[in-house]
Amino acid sequence: MRPVAAASDPTRHFFQPIIICLTVASVALTLFVIWISLHDLSLMRAGREKFVGLDNYIRFLGDPRAMAALWRTVLFTVLATVIEIALGLAVVLFLDRDFAMKRLVRTLLLVPIIMTPVVVGLTWRFLFDPATGMANYLLSLVGIAQVDWLGSPRIALFSVLVADIWQWTPFVILLVMAALESAPTDPLNAARVDGAREWQVTWYVLLPMLRRALAIVALIRAIDSIKAFDLFYIMTRGGPALSTETLNYYGYIVAFTNFDISYALAIAIILTVFTNVALLTMYSVLFPKTGDR
Amino acid sequence: MLNRRSVLMLGAAAAALAMAMPASADDKPFNGVQISVLLEGHPTTDAIQKMVPEFKEKTGIDVAIEVVPEQDITAKELLEFSAKSGRYDVVQNNIIYLPGFVKSGYIVPLDDFLAKHRENFDKADFVPGYFNTNVLDGKVYGLPVYGESTFVMYRKDLFEQYGLAAPKTFEDIENAAKTISEKTDKQIAGITMRGQQGIQGVYVWAAYLWGFGGSFFDASGKSALATPEGIAALDAFTKVLKDYGPVGVANFGWEENRLLFQQGKAAITLDATVNGAYNEDPAVSTVVGKVGYVPVPMKSTSPKGGSSSLAVHSMYVSAESKNQEAAALFAAWATAKEQQLKSIETDPNSGVTSLSALNSDSFGKRYGAFKEGMIAAINAGNPQYLPTVEQANEIINNTGIAVSKALAGTASAADALKEADEANNAALAR
């Protein structure tokens, strides 16, 4: 499809007003949030707030709990994104052939995606229950002692990660599958005719064709993992010993347990800036300006 | 189908018909007034919702009740209060927020309204320990809807089997937990308590804190958890749970703890008095009649406060309400003895705040097994059991992290409590 010059594109009458509305709304809200983060608004002292400049941001830099939460967010995001992409891709390549029940399998893959995160969290909390949960029961069959999935600070974060992977890998599978089905088959066949082995075809021809789709899915998953909240809230409440407190969850505690709205919004802004910088870096690595695409 | 509400309505209608004189408008000065009420999801709320039609019948006041889970109610109230929205005339919450509400001018004293409506308000009928937590500077700010305390629950059958006496001290608890855990080869946990980070763990650990003679604050109002008493209390708490507690206890909230004990998989627990109602309910419990209830121990000879809790949830009238008198009338009616007596019949409400309800036959029939233990716990209940200062929530959260760190073994009790003190004092200074 040839790109139409924007000025003569009749659809602009539909999308321009929407874009303008959204821009105005988000800019206004962002400015309001920044304005509040420069005060010391607490719900317990409403009406007594004053302008404090950058105090909340300085407080953040000297707050070890916030720094640890930021590091945990990075760890969780990297692990969740990498594992979900790798696992999703592996499943797609495995499913990349015509077989009976393909439609059924695809439908079943949708189940975790459409489940409410709260339900997913509760389900995994039951599965990970040390005394009555399925996870330890299965381990006991092969003679492994009870694992304290959610009560051990060394393991808890990874237990939440497992739930996240279970919920979101199917999303990766669906998008990559769609990309794969729309990919041209000629280059693959040409490579096969030239005597390339199957793994070589996959590695040198197929994966470069999927690169763009994978990159976009990775971006979406990374943004979602940074914002992950429901699973942490339901499964561990940030415990034990802060081992599952991400920056987003810490912001929630500051806002709705400590009622320190200004500091919570400062945390939110820092998280937003940090996320944007990280994702822009990731984007420029994935889509270099030079190169073929 | 004739549900309970329609039966109540019929009864109320019949009562109205039976009266010789029809009620005139003068009897109902509030006829047509509408108030909105925000309540916690709780058995008492269910009971009040069933009785509201009677209130309208009696006063002509329209009541719209909104219900949210307890953990979300404070944030919701504060958002409405600080926005001066006047959306709710009556709100419910734990009394630990009362000082903050009063200081911010969010709620109004009720004395004048209560004096006008004696027929719905009998101060002498409330459990004194519950009522007094609602009084600040000599003024009444709230009316207690439900309350609870804490006690020690133990399995009488197991104690008998292994020749143990009812636990009176913290050492007794530890010895019994050790014995039963070892004798049953850990098939039955010696003890289970809430270990989850946050309010859950703190609510139970505070029993140890006060019992060992510690306190949240020193005389000057500074956070003072890392005292020898506080450190000993945290060491004792973590030791029994680590050595004789169930796997996973570090993430146990109220529910997990209650279920484990109800299923007969633990020999001792220290928790809220409301758990007694679950232990003695054959529909959900396998230990009906096998549980003994004794007070939380007191180790210190010069305690700074009682070691059993006193949690009271009250109704308050918003300062932004346009109908404060009607709102106060509703709060008084909903907590009056007649309504509390009815609530025991319709819902599993063992937390009544009315002495008549507490001493009624139907209460004794349902909750007789732990009634004495509960009343003893309430009478010894410590109104300062959890911090009540403005920053209470943040202080509980910081303390919860210390308890969780010590329990998980990522920090020593002394270091974890020192860290909590620093965070608490920073919060108090803000």
Side-chain angles (χ1 to χ4, degrees):
Chain A
M1 186 180 137
R2 280 185 303 116
V4 196
S8 64
D9 179 3
T11 58
R12 72 179 189 280
H13 300 299
F14 296 95
F15 68 75
Q16 275 176 349
I18 295 172
I19 289 180
I20 289 166
C21 279
L22 288 175
T23 311
V24 170
S26 47
V27 167
L29 282 174
T30 309
L31 289 175
F32 184 56
V33 167
I34 292 172
W35 178 242
I36 292 182
S37 76
L38 300 175
H39 290 70
D40 63 346
L41 173 64
S42 158
L43 286 182
M44 275 311 217
R45 305 186 300 266
R48 284 183 276 156
E49 58 269 12
K50 56 186 188 301
F51 185 83
V52 295
L54 292 175
D55 277 11
N56 285 313
Y57 295 89
I58 295 162
R59 181 177 155 194
F60 180 91
L61 294 175
D63 184 349
R65 188 171 161 188
M67 290 297 157
L70 179 60
W71 157 241
R72 247 174 249 121
T73 305
V74 172
L75 179 71
F76 182 82
T77 303
V78 170
L79 284 176
T81 310
V82 169
I83 294 174
E84 281 160 24
I85 296 288
L87 205 60
L89 185 63
V91 173
V92 168
L93 293 177
F94 177 72
L95 290 180
D96 181 32
R97 56 205 71 177
D98 278 322
F99 56 94
M101 319 277 265
K102 186 162 181 172
R103 291 180 71 117
L104 178 70
V105 169
R106 203 180 291 184
T107 313
L108 286 177
L109 280 175
L110 276 170
V111 170
I113 307 177
I114 55 179
M115 263 173 99
T116 318
V118 172
V119 178
V120 175
L122 286 170
T123 307
W124 281 93
R125 200 170 156 172
F126 284 126
L127 290 174
F128 282 142
D129 185 288
T132 56
M134 180 87 78
N136 278 347
Y137 169 73
L138 293 176
L139 289 183
S140 73
L141 295 180
V142 288
I144 299 174
Q146 286 190 336
V147 176
D148 192 355
W149 297 101
L150 297 171
S152 157
R154 286 193 308 280
I155 308 175
L157 185 67
F158 301 101
S159 301
V160 180
L161 183 67
V162 168
D164 191 78
I165 289 169
W166 179 85
Q167 188 174 18
W168 291 111
T169 303
F171 172 78
V172 176
I173 295 172
L174 278 184
L175 290 194
V176 177
M177 225 179 204
L180 188 64
E181 284 180 2
S182 62
T185 51
D186 296 353
L188 302 178
N189 292 332
R192 288 191 185 109
V193 169
D194 289 343
R197 305 244 165 100
E198 208 49 42
W199 69 265
Q200 288 172 314
V201 174
T202 303
W203 184 255
Y204 290 107
V205 186
L206 187 62
L207 283 186
M209 284 201 295
L210 290 178
R211 201 185 72 183
R212 201 177 182 82
L214 286 173
I216 288 168
V217 180
L219 274 176
I220 296 174
R221 283 306 312 135
I223 294 170
D224 278 349
S225 312
I226 288 172
K227 293 189 308 186
F229 174 81
D230 344 49
L231 288 178
F232 290 96
Y233 181 79
I234 297 290
M235 288 173 77
T236 60
R237 300 268 159 140
L242 291 182
S243 64
T244 59
E245 188 171 86
T246 58
L247 196 55
N248 200 17
Y249 191 82
Y250 180 45
Y252 164 84
I253 292 280
V254 171
F256 295 106
T257 298
N258 305 350
F259 305 122
D260 202 339
I261 300 297
S262 288
Y263 186 44
L265 289 177
I267 290 173
I269 288 173
I270 289 167
L271 185 61
T272 309
V273 171
F274 180 84
T275 306
N276 280 318
V277 170
L279 293 180
L280 286 172
T281 313
M282 186 170 148
Y283 187 84
S284 59
V285 169
L286 291 169
F287 300 121
K289 280 268 185 295
T290 55
D292 52 342
R293 300 173 71 141
Chain B
M1 196 186 118
L2 222 61
N3 61 15
R4 190 177 286 116
R5 182 174 295 190
S6 50
V7 171
L8 291 174
M9 300 250 288
L10 282 173
L17 284 174
M19 288 198 313
M21 291 276 290
S24 68
D26 302 341
D27 297 342
K28 297 189 184 179
F30 299 112
N31 211 349
V33 169
Q34 292 190 325
I35 58 170
S36 68
V37 179
L38 181 67
L39 299 179
E40 302 163 9
H42 189 269
T44 49
T45 296
D46 300 341
I48 289 168
Q49 280 183 301
K50 287 169 193 153
M51 294 185 270
V52 156
E54 295 170 52
F55 181 68
K56 176 157 169 61
E57 190 70 35
K58 205 169 141 174
T59 61
I61 300 173
D62 257 320
V63 184
I65 294 183
E66 223 176 290
V67 183
V68 296
E70 187 197 329
Q71 68 231 30
D72 305 326
I73 204 165
T74 311
K76 197 172 169 71
E77 286 166 9
L78 286 170
L79 285 168
E80 300 290 343
F81 282 155
S82 56
K84 298 214 183 323
S85 71
R87 184 171 157 193
Y88 300 111
D89 301 280
V90 178
V91 297
Q92 181 184 14
N93 209 326
N94 191 319
I95 49 105
I96 61 172
Y97 299 106
L98 188 141
F101 283 175
V102 172
K103 217 167 145 181
S104 302
Y106 292 155
I107 58 176
V108 291
L110 307 176
D111 302 75
D112 299 352
F113 304 127
L114 296 175
K116 266 176 85 171
H117 296 283
R118 284 268 167 248
E119 75 285 0
N120 281 310
F121 174 68
D122 176 9
K123 185 181 159 180
D125 183 59
F126 285 108
V127 175
Y130 287 159
F131 187 83
N132 296 338
T133 56
N134 292 279
V135 180
L136 195 73
D137 305 330
K139 295 197 189 82
V140 179
Y141 282 94
L143 292 170
V145 180
Y146 72 90
E148 63 176 26
S149 181
T150 40
F151 50 26
V152 174
M153 299 163 243
Y154 70 100
R155 287 277 302 283
K156 289 186 291 196
D157 53 334
L158 291 170
F159 271 61
E160 204 167 315
Q161 190 181 336
Y162 298 111
L164 298 159
K168 286 196 174 59
T169 64
F170 288 110
E171 288 77 12
D172 288 352
I173 290 178
E174 188 177 331
N175 290 335
K178 181 174 192 284
T179 306
I180 293 172
S181 174
E182 283 169 3
K183 291 260 160 97
T184 61
D185 198 24
K186 297 221 168 180
Q187 288 308 298
I188 294 180
I191 185 165
T192 178
M193 291 187 276
R194 306 182 211 174
Q196 191 179 61
Q197 183 185 306
I199 177 89
Q200 303 278 351
V202 175
Y203 187 61
V204 177
W205 174 69
Y208 274 72
L209 175 69
W210 293 102
F212 275 68
S215 149
F216 280 93
F217 304 109
D218 62 16
S220 65
K222 282 255 190 307
S223 180
L225 292 163
T227 54
E229 296 88 357
I231 294 165
L234 189 49
D235 277 331
F237 177 80
T238 51
K239 182 176 187 303
V240 288
L241 284 183
K242 270 189 206 164
D243 294 354
Y244 319 117
V247 179
V249 73
N251 201 39
F252 269 27
W254 173 73
E255 202 108 54
E256 283 97 345
N257 192 61
R258 169 175 77 76
L259 287 169
L260 195 86
F261 192 79
Q262 273 166 236
Q263 292 164 351
K265 292 181 182 162
I268 309 171
T269 185
L270 192 169
D271 212 300
T273 45
V274 69
N275 287 32
Y278 290 86
N279 293 339
E280 304 302 332
D281 177 355
V284 294
S285 164
T286 59
V287 294
V288 177
K290 295 179 186 168
V291 184
Y293 301 89
V294 287
V296 177
M298 174 52 78
K299 187 185 168 83
S300 167
T301 47
S302 55
K304 298 190 178 67
S307 59
S308 54
S309 77
L310 194 67
V312 184
H313 290 247
S314 301
M315 283 190 195
Y316 312 106
V317 173
S318 161
E320 296 294 323
S321 165
K322 303 275 181 296
N323 300 301
Q324 290 181 356
E325 191 174 339
L329 177 58
F330 172 78
W333 171 87
T335 54
K337 70 179 90 162
E338 296 82 3
Q339 280 59 251
Q340 293 214 29
L341 277 164
K342 271 186 215 157
S343 75
I344 310 172
E345 301 291 344
T346 58
D347 290 275
N349 179 18
S350 63
V352 285
T353 59
S354 143
L355 288 169
S356 334
L358 204 55
N359 296 322
S360 67
D361 290 345
S362 54
F363 190 94
K365 200 168 71 223
R366 280 181 180 76
Y367 308 122
F370 62 95
K371 182 182 154 179
E372 267 174 51
M374 184 176 87
I375 292 174
I378 292 167
N379 288 336
N382 176 354
Q384 296 300 318
Y385 182 81
L386 288 179
T388 56
V389 292
E390 252 183 59
Q391 300 84 347
N393 252 359
E394 191 165 349
I395 285 167
I396 290 168
N397 193 271
N398 294 333
T399 311
I401 292 165
V403 173
S404 186
K405 278 184 175 172
L407 188 55
T410 59
S412 72
D415 291 346
L417 290 173
K418 251 195 226 71
E419 213 180 330
D421 277 340
E422 280 161 25
N424 289 348
N425 286 328
L428 289 166
R430 267 198 291 278

